[in-house]
Amino acid sequence: MDAIMPTYGRYDLAFERGEGAYVFTADGDRYLDCGAGIAVNALGHGHPALVSALQEQAGKLWHTSNLYQVPGQQKLADRLTALTFADTVFFTNSGAEACECAIKTARKYMSATGQPERYRLITVEGAFHGRTLATIAAGGQEKHLAGFGPKVDGFDQVPVDDLEAIKNAITDETAGVMIEPIQGEGGIRPFKPDYLRGLRKLCDDNGLLLIFDEVQTGVGRTGTLFAYEQTGIAPDIMAVAKGIGGGFPMGACLATQDAAQGMTAGSHGSTFGGNPLAMAVGNAVLDVVTAPGFLTQVKETARTLRQQLGAVIDSHPTVYKGLRGEGLMIGIECAALNADVVAALLDEKVLAVGAGENVVRLLPPLTIGEAEVSEAIAALDRAATTLESKSE
Ligand SMILES: *Cc1c(COP(=O)(O)O)cnc(C)c1O
């Protein structure tokens, strides 16, 4: 057996270094990175501000533990709460842990407000919330649950875009609803415009908590700092990770003061969560993403990319079918097999990522410019032509 536990089917391809939107193999082959490590390298590779933040912190202090004050953590929490609906933040090392903290926060709220029997969360089909035992139960996908014993109790799954189904799933044991504002792994699936607002109202009317999983949609990916800003409503609890560390492993669970009232000293913890290295990088990422004009530029780039994508998709109807998503969280619906499209793009030296519903995801660094957009479009065009000639 391979020394690396073979839980991934990997491409036979390794990278040695990165620069901006490009990664390079040891042989010097250059690839345009339109996957960004699955929406992680939000500022591309080797961003000077991130490199120097990490180097500077590495020379000072790596880790002390949450037994002590961590100034970088205080700073990042103050900034995130000022920028969002939230009043308080718990830092984690990953998206699954951020979701896990969100789930625990919701359950603890109910227990702290005298309703300990309310511990169940409603989730939707096609969801992805991570790979821990609780988050695979939340995601409810058989392919992730199979063989791992009894599913963690406390999650009820309903079809997407169906408020009536949510309403019918609410019982005396329901604590809240957990949902991605746009499903990522599920295939860049946005919801009907009124669905999330309807969810907010349902939660309010029934004393339930609304949890948004913005692990993939967050930190500028959809053109606003967080996707919920475009919905006209806000959640009570939000999980964030991926882009927030720009490639350094970190995540966060944000909540309102009310929703977090059960999370008192000793209720939750993490050895590494919020350590000085992660916080130095997290603060540097936020500096860039919140700088004047940055998100406007993301929206503009997204508009240009989408326009040109529309034309490529139309001219290859046997390979591409349609376009979904928001900002630089882009899903190309495929007529061909999405894995074949990803492989054909790889031959054109462009990295893209598959997703559910036969979609190919483009999640480029938020910093890409016109040159990279044109290069991606040309590669999509050539990849389609190759696939067309193969199927003739
Ligand atoms: C990636 C992802 C997760 C899990 O994050 P990990 O860092 O892999 O644990 C959870 N939710 C969503 C929406 C994601 O895209």
Side-chain angles (χ1 to χ4, degrees):
M1 189 187 226
D2 196 283
I4 297 171
M5 200 181 278
T7 62
Y8 277 91
R10 297 170 193 261
Y11 296 102
D12 186 18
L13 185 62
F15 299 104
E16 189 183 54
R17 65 184 185 89
E19 197 182 316
Y22 295 96
V23 284
F24 299 82
T25 67
D27 295 336
D29 277 343
R30 187 180 89 153
Y31 287 73
L32 176 62
D33 189 359
C34 287
I38 317 186
V40 167
N41 303 97
L43 304 182
H45 300 274
H47 191 290
L50 305 198
V51 172
S52 70
L54 185 58
Q55 280 175 342
E56 199 180 304
Q57 187 59 47
K60 284 201 267 189
L61 185 66
W62 289 23
H63 182 82
T64 54
S65 106
N66 287 309
L67 294 174
Y68 311 101
Q69 306 289 324
V70 180
Q73 210 179 101
Q74 187 68 52
K75 182 177 170 192
L76 188 53
D78 285 343
R79 297 175 75 187
L80 287 171
T81 53
L83 288 162
T84 64
F85 71 94
D87 302 306
T88 190
V89 184
F90 181 91
F91 289 106
T92 70
N93 311 288
S94 68
E97 287 169 284
C99 290
E100 189 93 15
C101 180
I103 295 163
K104 288 179 74 175
T105 302
R107 288 187 177 196
K108 203 72 193 292
Y109 167 86
M110 290 301 168
S111 135
T113 54
Q115 315 164 78
E117 71 286 356
R118 288 189 173 271
Y119 69 94
R120 307 189 70 82
L121 292 174
I122 298 169
T123 63
V124 297
E125 285 168 6
F128 183 77
H129 300 296
R131 296 295 201 106
T132 64
L133 287 170
T135 54
I136 55 174
Q141 300 203 34
E142 197 42 46
K143 64 179 186 220
H144 296 154
L145 287 160
F148 291 113
K151 186 177 152 202
V152 169
D153 182 37
F155 300 94
D156 300 305
Q157 200 154 52
V158 299
V160 291
D161 267 337
D162 187 346
L163 283 175
E164 212 45 42
I166 301 241
K167 205 183 275 179
N168 294 334
I170 296 172
T171 70
D172 294 345
E173 295 185 338
T174 305
V177 177
M178 176 150 123
I179 190 165
E180 300 152 80
I182 299 172
Q183 286 189 348
E185 304 303 306
I188 315 289
R189 283 161 88 185
F191 300 109
K192 287 187 200 143
D194 286 336
Y195 179 66
L196 295 174
R197 276 194 293 279
L199 263 188
R200 176 72 270 177
K201 184 163 186 325
L202 260 186
C203 287
D204 291 342
D205 292 349
N206 292 278
L208 306 179
L209 294 168
L210 180 59
I211 304 171
F212 276 179
D213 177 352
E214 291 230 26
V215 168
Q216 196 160 146
T217 52
V219 197
R221 177 57 52 191
T222 68
T224 47
L225 188 57
F226 293 101
Y228 82 83
E229 297 166 37
Q230 297 173 45
T231 66
I233 53 131
D236 303 293
I237 303 171
M238 178 168 78
V240 180
K242 293 204 164 100
I244 196 174
F248 197 94
M250 68 170 288
C253 172
L254 285 67
T256 62
Q257 180 173 341
D258 186 44
Q261 63 181 276
M263 302 303 275
T264 49
S267 61
H268 193 44
S270 168
T271 297
F272 292 123
N275 105 348
L277 294 172
M279 296 300 101
V281 181
N283 274 299
V285 169
L286 209 56
D287 287 343
V288 176
V289 175
T290 60
F294 183 86
L295 290 172
T296 311
Q297 183 59 52
V298 171
K299 283 186 207 131
E300 241 158 66
T301 306
R303 199 161 28 239
T304 313
L305 180 51
R306 275 158 189 286
Q307 258 165 17
Q308 299 185 23
L309 273 173
V312 175
I313 290 167
D314 287 347
S315 58
H316 298 283
T318 62
V319 178
Y320 307 128
K321 256 189 352 200
L323 192 57
R324 353 164 135 173
E326 200 61 58
L328 288 175
M329 183 175 187
I330 294 168
I332 301 174
E333 297 163 9
C334 295
L337 206 62
N338 63 348
D340 292 344
V341 173
V342 171
L345 284 170
L346 211 51
D347 288 339
E348 299 297 336
K349 300 215 162 17
V350 170
L351 308 182
V353 189
E357 300 201 320
N358 204 35
V359 159
V360 168
R361 273 181 284 182
L362 301 183
L363 307 160
L366 306 181
T367 47
I368 58 163
E370 264 172 46
E372 287 96 351
V373 167
S374 306
E375 198 175 321
I377 295 294
L380 280 157
D381 191 32
R382 285 195 306 270
T385 305
T386 307
L387 288 172
E388 285 158 356
S389 68
K390 272 186 192 160
S391 68
E392 263 161 21

